[in-house]
Amino acid sequence: MIYRQQVSGVNYAFDGLVEVLAKATPLRSGDQLAGCAAEHDAERAAAAWVLADLPLETFLNTDIVDYDTDEVTRLIMDSHDRQAFAAVSGLTVGGLRDWLLETSSHDDSATRIAAISPGLTPEMVAAVSKIMRNQDLIAVAAACTVTAAFRTTVGLPGTLATRLQPNHPTDDPRGIAAGILDGLLLGCGDAVIGINPATDSPQATADLLHLLDSIRTRYDIPVQSCVLSHITTTIGLIESGAPVDLVFQSIAGTEGANSAFGVDISLLREGREAAMALQRGTVGDNVMYLETGQGSALSSHTHLGVGGKPVDQQTLETRAYAVARDLDPLLVNTVVGFIGPEYLYDGKQIIRAGLEDHFCGKLLGLPMGVDVCYTNHAEADQNDMDTLLTLLAAAGAAFVITVPGADDVMLGYQSLAFHDVLTTRRTLGLRPAPEFEAWLKRVGMVDDAGRLTPFDLTHSPLRALTAAP
């Protein structure tokens, strides 16, 4: 179908829904690289106008990626909840935007939005995000509440949790322990203590799992741990008796992109079932940790939709959330600036993408977090990350990632420092996850108001962390 729109006396034509979605997307370098971006602002405005007037039913009758060849599309269509959709079925994309903004002002906004969430497809959610300003994305996301739990509860209103990421280029236990101690002393780690291993060796992964579990149990810390190895490695380690809390995997929005990661939906479900069978959670049984990122499908050339047309990277990112939603995860985060400037060129594009991803994930019912990050060859700096962190905290992000000194020396990119979140919590009146905050109080690191207190590490049992084997 050809969609037409006139702007300032110029007629624009768009060949199909895939092209409308791509051309309506705010500018980003990845779509330019894929050849699907609008050529200029006037064409982008014309596409956004067309998109705003499309009935939501359009997305149930039109494939973005072919149903017969893509299992993600089949998951989206086959699991769609028509009953939940009924409340908004008569709306256009623009009408959904208006409904969300109006609903976000109600005291029961979280309940009302959660009721329609199963009836929204990722493509509907991606579409409405494209015609929303940053302020709109923040307002609606802040009105949503999505929680998940294992040993701590993430996503509660008034909280901002963190992943403590103590990566080390050689997986040295003392270096990792030092990073963990640094993070704990600044109130981080309540979402997960998660290590990206330097190799995917099962033995190295097992050693790190045992290190994390020994720290957790020795100091009775209510946290969950994760070593971010491939899901097949983790399943094997579960079978061998390793202390696995969460199963990690990177996921994407097409079957081909997931295949490039070495996974499919069946394997992901197998990993979830294996972890759930361990019953290691204390306050909940959400056991999956999933990471996504705009541009992952393009980077493996698995970004083509119906008719061989390139699908914009933000729509494909949102489709990955359908895979995540199927797995009932504890944590989902977009590593928003990690892939590089080829996909998100500068701070402005990274900030916009981070707000989009958080909004879309949360609207689809996910406990959504963001790795607020950039690579050193991007046109971005730590001030951009400060801005995005503050906006995400205002929007009610479930968690963010923190690394020693904001510099991940193993992965070679810039993220957030532990004290960045400490400052943001203090500025916006946010708290850690309640179970973790109770532990911080118990060991004397915070007062009743949740503020860090002077802490004498010399006489604390935590000092032994620096002597980890």
Side-chain angles (χ1 to χ4, degrees):
M1 181 176 180
I2 303 297
Y3 298 93
R4 303 182 188 278
Q5 182 65 45
Q6 186 180 89
V7 173
S8 300
V10 178
N11 292 313
Y12 294 93
F14 306 99
D15 185 11
L17 184 56
V18 170
E19 187 170 330
V20 172
L21 286 165
K23 295 293 179 71
T25 305
L27 179 66
R28 62 210 56 197
S29 53
D31 291 340
Q32 293 176 310
L33 180 63
C36 64
E39 293 185 9
H40 41 67
D41 287 341
E43 185 181 28
R44 187 171 298 108
W49 200 316
V50 169
L51 189 60
D53 287 341
L54 286 180
L56 294 180
E57 284 278 359
T58 305
F59 296 90
L60 300 178
N61 302 319
T62 310
D63 286 351
I64 302 302
V65 182
D66 187 70
Y67 179 95
D68 293 329
T69 61
D70 188 273
E71 69 170 359
V72 177
T73 300
R74 293 194 292 275
L75 174 66
I76 291 168
M77 294 302 186
D78 296 350
S79 63
H80 179 248
D81 188 332
R82 275 282 184 177
Q83 185 174 352
F85 179 63
V88 294
S89 60
L91 299 180
T92 62
V93 173
L96 177 61
R97 172 187 176 273
D98 294 343
W99 186 93
L100 289 168
L101 288 170
E102 194 277 331
T103 301
S104 68
S105 66
H106 290 251
D107 291 340
D108 63 346
S109 59
T111 301
R112 295 176 66 181
I113 293 173
I116 69 160
S117 179
L120 300 177
T121 68
E123 290 87 352
M124 294 175 193
V125 172
V128 76
S129 75
K130 295 175 191 294
I131 61 168
M132 298 175 81
R133 291 171 49 194
N134 288 359
Q135 186 180 71
D136 300 338
L137 299 174
I138 294 166
V140 175
C144 301
T145 298
V146 182
T147 62
F150 188 75
R151 292 195 188 97
T152 61
T153 306
V154 299
L156 291 168
T159 67
L160 176 61
T162 59
R163 171 183 163 190
L164 197 171
Q165 183 170 296
N167 294 343
H168 191 278
T170 64
D171 290 339
D172 179 75
R174 287 178 61 85
I176 289 170
I180 293 172
L181 178 61
D182 189 12
L184 291 174
L185 290 174
L186 288 169
C188 292
D190 45 339
V192 65
I193 301 177
I195 302 171
N196 295 89
T199 75
D200 204 39
S201 156
Q203 185 57 58
T205 301
D207 290 344
L208 292 174
L209 285 168
H210 283 287
L211 172 64
L212 291 175
D213 201 54
S214 67
I215 291 172
R216 178 187 67 82
T217 56
R218 181 174 181 177
Y219 302 106
D220 194 25
I221 313 172
V223 294
Q224 39 278 335
S225 65
C226 185
V227 177
L228 282 66
S229 56
H230 192 270
I231 190 170
T232 52
T233 300
T234 304
I235 291 173
L237 290 171
I238 290 174
E239 293 171 348
S240 66
V244 173
D245 288 342
L246 305 183
V247 173
F248 168 82
Q249 185 55 50
S250 294
I251 59 171
T254 68
E255 179 177 338
N258 283 320
S259 179
F261 284 136
V263 299
D264 57 22
I265 293 171
S266 175
L267 178 61
L268 293 167
R269 289 171 176 169
E270 179 186 345
R272 176 176 179 267
E273 291 169 4
M276 287 189 68
L278 299 177
Q279 298 183 330
R280 289 172 60 85
T282 55
V283 297
D285 62 357
N286 301 112
V287 297
M288 298 298 289
Y289 176 18
L290 306 168
E291 281 194 342
T292 67
Q294 288 194 29
S296 58
L298 175 58
S299 67
S300 59
H301 198 67
T302 54
H303 64 295
L304 302 180
V306 171
K309 290 180 177 294
V311 182
D312 69 273
Q313 65 185 36
Q314 192 256 338
T315 296
L316 290 180
E317 166 71 9
T318 308
R319 281 169 53 92
Y321 304 154
V323 179
R325 183 160 65 172
D326 180 67
L327 298 167
D328 196 21
L330 175 71
L331 307 169
V332 182
N333 75 263
T334 166
V335 283
V336 67
F338 181 75
I339 303 181
E342 300 85 357
Y343 304 93
L344 295 169
Y345 178 72
D346 57 15
K348 182 177 181 178
Q349 292 187 15
I350 292 171
I351 290 168
R352 172 69 191 189
L355 294 176
E356 287 171 349
D357 294 352
H358 174 255
F359 162 85
C360 290
K362 206 171 181 187
L363 188 54
L364 287 168
L366 295 173
M368 197 70 193
V370 178
D371 189 353
V372 178
C373 64
Y374 64 102
T375 56
N376 287 318
H377 60 310
E379 292 296 320
D381 60 25
Q382 211 63 32
N383 286 324
D384 295 316
M385 301 305 104
D386 290 346
T387 299
L388 180 53
L389 170 60
T390 305
L391 295 176
L392 288 167
F399 73 103
V400 293
I401 290 180
T402 54
V403 305
D407 183 7
D408 192 305
V409 296
M410 195 276 278
L411 292 176
Y413 79 116
Q414 310 303 122
S415 187
L416 299 174
F418 304 131
H419 65 266
D420 294 333
V421 173
L422 183 66
T423 299
T424 301
R425 283 174 174 163
R426 182 185 302 131
T427 302
L428 298 181
L430 301 173
R431 310 287 282 262
E435 300 87 353
F436 185 73
E437 185 177 47
W439 176 80
L440 291 173
K441 289 180 183 177
R442 190 164 68 246
V443 298
M445 282 199 279
V446 299
D447 60 20
D448 289 340
R451 297 173 300 221
L452 284 184
T453 58
F455 187 71
D456 184 4
L457 182 60
T458 304
H459 298 100
S460 169
L462 288 174
R463 181 174 176 80
L465 267 177
T466 59

